[in-house]
Amino acid sequence: MSDENGTQATPAGSAPGPRPEPIRFFGTTWVDHDNGYTGRRIGAAAGSLAAAVASCLILRFAYQGLQIADIGGFVTLLMVVMFAICSALAFRHTWDGFTKRPDPDRQASLRGLLAIGFVGSLLAYFFRSLTEAPGEKLHREEYETALRQYEKRSTRRTGNPSKKRRRS
């Protein structure tokens, strides 16, 4: 909730200060690992692995379609290598995206490659879900930095500065 000035309004019962950024499928449960966090991690890992397996089956059907079409071994090899390289690059890009914010321009330029290498992205999501919510480390670092800065700002001054006695 924001007021007309755009500042964050705090709901009744919650502490003032920065709020954690929600993560897809996890919301803000990653902060205290509560409200079904473990179940969500298990679900995210199982879901991403199931999607990766289903994707591999679809790619296998595409490969069999190429064999049935008898377009030649070179084109078939090219398709397999293309999917393998794009999947490896998508895995690395997705994995790096969990620890640092991706550059929007680079993200836009890699959109096609990431779409082709979707299996790599799903596998990166699966492996990260085994240890934490994907992106939790990045969000936790940013949230803790914001908390430290908030504490520093809020404890810097005490009292009303206009009532401070002047030295003579």
Side-chain angles (χ1 to χ4, degrees):
M1 295 186 298
S2 297
D3 62 6
E4 61 277 353
N5 297 331
T7 57
Q8 289 287 331
T10 54
S14 69
R19 296 214 180 120
E21 186 179 341
I23 297 176
R24 182 184 297 159
F25 305 125
F26 293 92
T28 56
T29 61
W30 60 268
V31 177
D32 296 322
H33 295 181
D34 59 354
N35 296 331
Y37 171 81
T38 305
R40 291 174 190 226
R41 262 194 38 218
I42 292 169
S48 59
L49 183 62
V53 168
S55 300
C56 287
L57 287 174
I58 291 170
L59 288 175
R60 181 168 185 241
F61 291 141
Y63 177 77
Q64 287 176 343
L66 290 174
Q67 284 183 329
I68 291 170
D70 196 28
I71 57 173
F74 180 71
V75 175
T76 304
L77 178 69
L78 254 145
M79 293 295 289
V80 169
V81 169
M82 177 198 62
F83 273 106
I85 290 173
C86 289
S87 290
L89 292 172
F91 179 92
R92 183 64 183 174
H93 181 76
T94 304
W95 191 264
D96 288 344
F98 295 142
T99 55
K100 62 183 178 194
R101 295 275 177 188
D103 177 30
D105 294 332
R106 185 169 187 261
Q107 185 83 8
S109 67
L110 292 176
R111 188 172 293 134
L113 181 129
L114 295 174
I116 294 170
F118 61 97
V119 175
S121 293
L122 290 170
L123 289 175
Y125 204 84
F126 166 72
F127 287 120
R128 182 58 80 162
S129 294
L130 294 177
T131 58
E132 67 176 8
E136 179 181 344
K137 181 178 180 183
L138 172 68
H139 285 76
R140 187 169 302 283
E141 287 173 358
E142 291 174 349
Y143 179 60
E144 289 174 355
T145 301
L147 279 176
R148 280 192 302 275
Q149 289 174 348
Y150 175 77
E151 289 296 322
K152 193 176 184 181
R153 280 193 312 267
S154 63
T155 59
R156 188 173 359 190
R157 290 189 239 155
T158 57
N160 187 347
S162 66
K163 293 184 179 183
K164 188 175 181 183
R165 281 190 260 157
R166 303 276 178 188
R167 291 186 205 178
S168 301

